[in-house]
Amino acid sequence: MTTATAKNSNLSAARSTKNDEFYTQWADIEREMNAYLDYDEEVFRDKVVLLPCDDPEWSNFAKFFALHFHDYGLKKLIATSYAPDSNPDLPAYQPTLFETEAPQFDEVKTHANGKLFVLDRDVNGDGIVNIDDLQWEYLNGDGDFRSAEVTALRDEADIVITNPPFSLFREFIPWLVGGGVRFSVIGSGNAVTYPDVFALIKDNLLWKGATGNNNDMVFGVPKGVEVKESDRAKAEKLGYPSDDKYDYTRLGNSCWFTNIEHGRRHEPLQLMTMADNVKFSRHNDVRGHEYQKYDNYDAIEVPYTDAIPNDYDGVMGVPISYLDKYNPEQFELLGLSGTSTYPTTKSYGKKERVVDGERKKSNTGTLGCVIRTDSFGPGTHFDVGYPVRGVYRRLFVRKKADA
């Protein structure tokens, strides 16, 4: 299994089991927020911040922003939680002393209702606003972000920050955009291929965050949730051994998606000319080879971000991981292979898959980018009247004239 396949399988497993209980680590939140503050130190000042999936008893997001309420200059911090009875991912639920010792505790609502947490003033009179001043009450409903109740909180907020349920990410992004808020949320890197998400990226209304891209982000999961031993070992190696509350796993393809500015997306890629790539590239399949042209798109194939030639003015197909370093002032994002966002130059009739020279019964469907080859040699090819080989999903980009 390749590294990319292994990373994707972790997220696929999370979706297939509908395990949405992944708790973000403090260090990952801190690194990302610091990147926004480095670009604009006033980014959070006088803002209402909503954390719509974050019970302060469990969530590092809520604890983090409560700790930084004063130095960030927040106007108000709002967090909500999801009702235990509506959350099948919780293996067991027992209310904490924080809840049971509060006068508003309700034995029925603690299971059936979500909770609303608000931090906006010094309640206990110690002269500082922090988590000890947090006030809470039960929501009328279960705390689903799509409810009118939580949507009204979104409309009150200036900024939304959270790790939403992986299985609901496709719905969560349009919900954020519909509120006209700034936001920073964690999701699968594969989400860039979702039509709604890609359209926002293409229009420069959404971009990758500053940190975590193509790295191993570690998440806590409730005790009892199945974790691959290899992922548990990797998390432990990164400094997160299992403890009394959580086991830990890594999701290598997770990343931040945001519309909050950070300086790293304006750093130009340092690239070589096409001739220098052919002569000096560290990649064996680039060094000593001409850049190939697709058979079905008017573009050349660039298999690695660092192999993008800085002197080529035509359209290039690049890996979707290029978005980790995408600078909108340097390149124009034109479309995504296999979609209607960029036109094909050729459509194929009958297609047949050929693996190591052996023809297989298969329905290949619509092909993405393919490159014409000389023969049906080792590996997987497709017979479209002649041999072609497919490449991974590609973004189409073009260097800006003044870049």
Side-chain angles (χ1 to χ4, degrees), residues 82-336:
Y82 194 43
D85 283 0
S86 298
N87 188 353
D89 297 325
L90 288 176
Y93 173 70
Q94 182 68 36
T96 64
L97 290 176
F98 171 80
E99 183 177 355
T100 58
E101 293 184 351
Q104 66 268 40
F105 173 68
D106 186 296
E107 290 185 359
V108 175
K109 289 183 178 180
T110 188
H111 290 275
N113 295 61
K115 294 195 283 289
L116 168 67
F117 305 85
V118 175
L119 180 62
D120 61 357
R121 65 186 186 278
D122 178 13
V123 174
N124 61 14
D126 64 359
I128 189 169
V129 181
N130 59 28
I131 200 165
D132 294 331
D133 299 301
L134 199 69
Q135 298 175 285
W136 72 273
E137 61 185 75
Y138 293 107
L139 292 165
N140 294 322
D142 65 3
D144 190 309
F145 71 88
R146 295 161 293 191
S147 67
E149 192 173 22
V150 179
T151 298
L153 297 173
R154 177 207 65 183
D155 294 342
E156 180 185 351
D158 301 295
I159 301 174
V160 175
I161 310 233
T162 193
N163 176 6
F166 281 119
S167 65
L168 296 176
F169 192 83
R170 289 176 189 261
E171 297 177 62
F172 196 74
I173 291 295
W175 180 80
L176 290 169
V177 173
V181 293
R182 287 195 287 175
F183 59 85
S184 181
V185 298
I186 295 174
S188 163
N190 292 332
V192 302
T193 66
Y194 301 166
D196 287 349
V197 173
F198 179 74
L200 293 168
I201 295 172
K202 184 174 181 292
D203 291 339
N204 203 29
L205 299 173
L206 174 69
W207 43 86
K208 288 283 199 79
T211 66
N213 298 318
N214 274 339
N215 294 319
D216 287 312
M217 291 180 72
V218 174
F219 297 86
V221 295
K223 292 289 189 179
V225 172
E226 184 178 353
V227 176
K228 285 185 179 180
E229 189 55 42
S230 59
D231 293 329
R232 187 195 307 272
K234 186 63 179 285
E236 185 168 352
K237 186 176 180 181
L238 292 168
Y240 296 94
S242 296
D243 54 38
D244 293 339
K245 291 177 64 176
Y246 303 118
D247 289 322
Y248 293 89
T249 187
R250 55 93 183 221
L251 297 178
N253 199 29
S254 53
C255 63
W256 295 86
F257 289 92
T258 187
N259 60 1
I260 302 174
E261 282 288 2
H262 58 82
R264 294 177 199 179
R265 85 182 198 101
H266 299 289
E267 295 174 357
L269 273 170
Q270 301 302 311
L271 301 166
M272 296 190 292
T273 65
M274 182 176 285
D276 281 348
N277 270 288
V278 172
K279 189 173 182 180
F280 301 114
S281 175
R282 65 189 179 93
H283 304 290
N284 292 334
D285 50 349
V286 175
R287 189 175 63 252
H289 300 278
E290 292 184 2
Y291 284 73
Q292 296 177 291
K293 192 173 171 76
Y294 299 123
D295 187 61
N296 57 340
Y297 285 99
D298 184 16
I300 62 169
E301 159 69 354
V302 181
Y304 310 99
T305 295
D306 63 3
I308 296 173
N310 64 15
D311 59 346
Y312 185 74
D313 294 326
V315 179
M316 297 171 277
V318 301
I320 61 173
S321 59
Y322 159 77
L323 289 176
D324 298 348
K325 301 182 182 298
Y326 172 47
N327 178 339
E329 289 93 38
Q330 187 177 19
F331 287 96
E332 180 184 7
L333 184 58
L334 303 172
L336 177 68

Side-chain angles (χ1 to χ4, degrees), residues 45 65-74 119 127-130:
R45 188 163 302 281
F65 278 97
L67 176 69
H68 291 290
F69 188 95
H70 177 72
D71 50 286
Y72 282 6
L74 296 185
L119 180 62
I128 189 169
V129 181
N130 59 28

